[in-house]
Amino acid sequence: MTTKQRLYRISFRSQDQVYEIYARHVSHGEMMGFVEVEKLVFGEKSSVVLDPSEEKLKHEFANVERFYVPLHAVIRIDEVSKPGSPRIHAA
């Protein structure tokens, strides 16, 4: 077992918006034409400054264990060393 867990930043389009999220697991999955994303990572819960975009994402993905993004909607997937702030912005 490795001590360092991989972390990915995934950018994708959905409904005229660009989502940028962080997850521990990304793969081609079992559904052809989709990217499988699971184990989402959000910022510290003890943070005093609240980012409305991050709060919206937390609410949207609250009970989601795994989701699938159509391959054509993926903009970019990066392996990163530490998480940033998940966000949604206009396309």
Side-chain angles (χ1 to χ4, degrees), residues 21-40:
I21 59 168
Y22 293 83
R24 294 281 179 201
H25 183 76
V26 178
S27 70
H28 59 78
E30 297 178 10
M31 292 181 15
M32 186 187 237
F34 287 83
V35 173
E36 180 180 304
V37 180
E38 59 184 316
K39 298 182 182 174
L40 296 178

Side-chain angles (χ1 to χ4, degrees), residues 26-78:
V26 178
S27 70
H28 59 78
E30 297 178 10
M31 292 181 15
M32 186 187 237
F34 287 83
V35 173
E36 180 180 304
V37 180
E38 59 184 316
K39 298 182 182 174
L40 296 178
V41 175
F42 291 102
E44 296 287 324
K45 290 184 180 183
S46 62
S47 176
V48 176
V49 178
L50 295 175
D51 181 357
S53 180
E54 183 174 355
E55 291 302 312
K56 181 179 177 183
L57 280 168
K58 281 183 184 180
H59 185 269
E60 184 172 341
F61 291 100
N63 295 312
V64 175
E65 291 181 30
R66 172 183 310 125
F67 69 96
Y68 299 87
V69 179
L71 195 54
H72 68 274
V74 174
I75 298 169
R76 180 179 183 140
I77 299 173
D78 299 312

